[in-house]
Amino acid sequence: MADTQQTIQNFYRVVTERDFTRKFNFRVININAGDSSSQVWNEDDLVYVRTASIPGREITEVTVPYMGLDFHIPGSAKYTGSDAYQMEFYCDRNSQLYQKFQDWTRDVFDDVTSTGNYFAAKQTAVIDLVQLDNQLNRVAQYQLVGVSPRQLGPLEYDLTNTGEFVTFTVTVAYQYFRRTFQS
């Protein structure tokens, strides 16, 4: 018998107990632009989210050389991709959702008046992401904190297309994320 327990039977047992998560087992359940913005997203808007991701996190390394050896000591946390977190949305027929994101960028900086809320985003500016099981029950929930818009992608049209849906990307920055629920 093998020294490890990673046999086909063990794989099958674990998979039937834990299953797999599917790429569609997530939702964006809240976008809050913060106290300084008038923009409000509701559940009907957020149903248009096509893709998003649970962000990554890394522990930085501090190298301490000693007698020719490099000792690798853990440092502080770094939120990889926090400067350019992307979500893709389907565009609704009247572009209402797209216009909300346009307005959010103008809340931050309005080039007509040269004014805006271009200060550090408050802790009330958040995006909540939920991982789901196959019954749409919450498995984990994450909150991106200190969110502010960075880029609103274009709406691209093509008269030779066969009728595919228009999508657009929204890129935001955030300061950090926290897990707010775990089953």
Side-chain angles (χ1 to χ4, degrees), residues 9-24:
Q9 292 302 314
N10 286 16
F11 174 80
Y12 183 61
R13 177 187 56 79
V14 171
V15 167
T16 57
E17 290 172 7
R18 295 184 187 177
D19 203 1
F20 292 98
T21 189
R22 307 307 198 270
K23 287 215 176 234
F24 52 74

Side-chain angles (χ1 to χ4, degrees), residues 15-179:
V15 167
T16 57
E17 290 172 7
R18 295 184 187 177
D19 203 1
F20 292 98
T21 189
R22 307 307 198 270
K23 287 215 176 234
F24 52 74
N25 284 15
F26 82 97
R27 297 292 184 276
V28 175
I29 61 167
N30 178 44
I31 297 176
N32 186 332
D35 301 337
S36 61
S37 178
S38 61
Q39 300 313 309
V40 176
W41 287 264
N42 61 41
E43 211 171 279
D44 288 347
D45 296 325
L46 298 178
V47 77
Y48 282 95
V49 176
R50 182 173 180 267
T51 64
S53 61
I54 305 301
R57 183 174 188 262
E58 77 177 69
I59 301 298
T60 61
E61 179 179 308
V62 178
T63 304
V64 179
Y66 184 77
M67 297 184 70
L69 294 175
D70 285 340
F71 288 85
H72 305 281
I73 311 300
S76 63
K78 183 174 183 178
Y79 294 88
T80 55
S82 63
D83 60 333
Y85 179 81
Q86 283 194 340
M87 295 176 291
E88 184 178 9
F89 292 82
Y90 289 111
C91 188
D92 59 279
R93 182 181 62 232
N94 294 329
S95 299
Q96 292 171 305
L97 182 58
Y98 188 77
Q99 291 166 17
K100 281 185 183 186
F101 282 108
Q102 280 181 331
D103 292 344
W104 190 19
T105 66
R106 292 201 188 287
D107 279 352
V108 172
F109 187 81
D110 188 342
D111 49 357
V112 173
T113 62
S114 297
T115 62
N117 299 316
Y118 46 90
F119 46 78
K122 294 186 169 52
Q123 289 185 342
T124 56
V126 297
I127 295 177
D128 290 297
L129 311 163
V130 175
Q131 286 178 282
L132 304 169
D133 65 14
N134 293 341
Q135 304 303 313
L136 301 181
N137 297 311
R138 197 169 36 153
V139 172
Q141 183 169 330
Y142 298 87
Q143 185 173 72
L144 309 181
V145 178
V147 175
S148 59
R150 289 296 178 266
Q151 182 178 14
L152 176 60
L155 295 180
E156 296 181 7
Y157 290 92
D158 180 353
L159 291 175
T160 65
N161 193 276
T162 59
E164 294 174 28
F165 297 126
V166 173
T167 63
F168 63 93
T169 58
V170 174
T171 305
V172 300
Y174 64 92
Q175 305 309 317
Y176 60 92
F177 74 85
R178 58 183 164 219
R179 189 173 59 222

